[in-house]
Amino acid sequence: MPESITDPTSTATPSSGRGSGLDRYFHVTERGSTISTEVRAGITTFLTMAYIIFVNPSILSNAIDVEGAFPQLLTVTCLAAAFGTLVMALWANLPFALAPGLGLNAYFAFTVVGGLGYSWQTALGAVFVSGLLFLVISLTGLRQWILEAIPLYLKHAITAGIGAFLAIIGFAGAGLIGDSPDTLVTRGDWTSPTLWLAVGGVVLAGALLARRVKGALVIAIVAVTVVAMVSGLEVYPGADGPVAFPGFTDGVVGFTWPSDLVGALDIPAALGTGVLSVVFTFLFVDFFDTAGTLIGLTDKAGMMDEDGTIDAPMPAFAADGLATSVGAVLGTSSTTTYIESAAGVEEGGRTGLASLVVGGLFLLAMVFAPLASVIPEVATAPVLVVIGAMMMTSVTKIDWTDVTQSVPAFLAIVGMPFTYSITDGISLGIIAHVAIMTLAGRVREIRPVMAILAVLVAWRFFVLG
């Protein structure tokens, strides 16, 4: 297990070990890594989550009605991602990246603004307030109480559930599955060359990992991207559907300052009584998404001890709260830790140096966005499937013969991909744990914090909807 990083001050000052300044500052050698490994891990993480640079603006532009919304939101997305990831790198010293979260941005655009009728400025204010509350939770003992209250078996289930969640995202991106009005989900068009390109990416990534080739995941992403570009396969988003690689018709450099978005949030309106439920939803989903992701990633990185204590210190959570509030000031929805960071962890990333690389690449992407658009979803989907498979090893640490463990664990694992939500999967596991233990006559074994969490998640389901 790598050096403990529970004390945040230990990650913010150089160690006395030998090596370069980067090595000492990030404790690279002490955690069994190398600078080249961290750089490679950072590139891998960035490539797997670069899609958010374009997806986030496309979603939020449905709610934020200003002229030139898309390019402004693209800049804001990169700035928020870079800020949060750099905080994670320089303060928490963890190889995890942040960006505006999928799901939360859809809730912002289609529910808060589109459905409830609040202005996008008020919605940004609600995001800002939720970020501050998240920061308060992070800086107090409440964060640790919650993490320690979650049973060890459920933490392992969360890790496996995140793996399943990554896999279903990869399956959808590869075209292996599609939606169905009769069966909800069905297989995709298995005659499509695009699908078999993605399958080839899965095989290539798996083979390279089996042969312990350095940069296996990056090689797989680049290989699939090159084939997609030169073959003319229609894998890039277009106005009327997928198109072949369109080339750089507008050049590779472009930058738009988000003058209509920065500082546009309306905090007083967000503190109104009717908006508090929106604030709570932003906070609840963001916290549990972050908690679940950090549990899964630290478990995958070998940073969880036998008692379930994870090396995710206060700064890891504080980075999320800070990034959410700063992102709201810039003009985007909640910023959160990304499960795609597992790709960098699989490449060997163990320190904040990997996150430093990711943050730097987001800043570059803000100016060279057309280059980032070269990576199609079909190239990153195979990596997500492979990483999902690797994270499923955590199920071996669950006692499946004990029903009080197996049922809540199973609900958490399958709940994440089936509901397409980390938070909902964790919520199902928490409710099932408390209910089954209570009815089994083992109430005294339930930690009070878990009982409170069960009430809160049930309240979110039945009251907030």
Side-chain angles (χ1 to χ4, degrees), residues 148-288:
E148 291 179 353
I150 299 175
L152 178 58
Y153 82 87
L154 201 53
K155 290 178 180 177
H156 292 312
I158 290 171
T159 302
I162 289 176
F165 190 30
L166 283 171
I168 198 170
I169 294 173
F171 267 56
L176 285 164
I177 58 174
D179 59 345
S180 168
D182 299 317
T183 60
L184 298 183
V185 64
T186 186
R187 75 177 190 181
D189 179 8
W190 285 23
T191 65
S192 168
T194 301
L195 180 148
W196 292 107
L197 174 60
V199 172
V202 172
V203 173
L204 176 61
L208 292 175
L209 286 171
R211 297 179 68 89
R212 300 186 181 277
V213 175
K214 293 183 178 180
L217 301 181
V218 174
I219 293 172
I221 293 173
V222 172
V224 174
T225 298
V226 170
V227 173
M229 291 174 64
V230 302
S231 66
L233 289 176
E234 297 180 343
V235 296
Y236 293 89
D240 299 316
V243 297
F245 179 60
F248 302 109
T249 55
D250 298 321
V252 297
V253 179
F255 176 77
T256 302
W257 178 250
S259 56
D260 295 318
L261 303 181
V262 175
L265 72 171
D266 190 344
I267 299 175
L271 295 176
T273 304
V275 194
L276 291 181
S277 62
V278 174
V279 172
F280 177 80
T281 300
F282 277 129
L283 173 63
F284 187 93
V285 176
D286 195 8
F287 180 83
F288 276 94

Side-chain angles (χ1 to χ4, degrees), residues 1 4 24 35 74 85 92 96 99 102 178 235 240 242 255 265 283 297 320 434 446:
M1 179 175 172
S4 173
R24 294 194 302 272
I35 290 179
L74 187 149
T85 303
F96 311 146
L102 281 175
V235 296
D240 299 316
F255 176 77
L265 72 171
L283 173 63
L297 292 176
D320 199 298
V434 172
I446 303 173

Side-chain angles (χ1 to χ4, degrees), residues 61 64-74 256-261:
S61 58
I64 299 179
D65 54 348
V66 299
E67 185 176 353
F70 190 94
Q72 292 191 56
L73 284 166
L74 187 149
T256 302
W257 178 250
S259 56
D260 295 318
L261 303 181

Side-chain angles (χ1 to χ4, degrees), residues 378-401:
V378 71
T380 56
V383 170
L384 298 181
V385 173
V386 170
I387 297 303
M390 307 295 284
M391 296 186 74
M392 290 301 292
T393 57
S394 293
V395 299
T396 62
K397 303 172 185 177
I398 300 170
D399 183 1
W400 293 101
T401 63

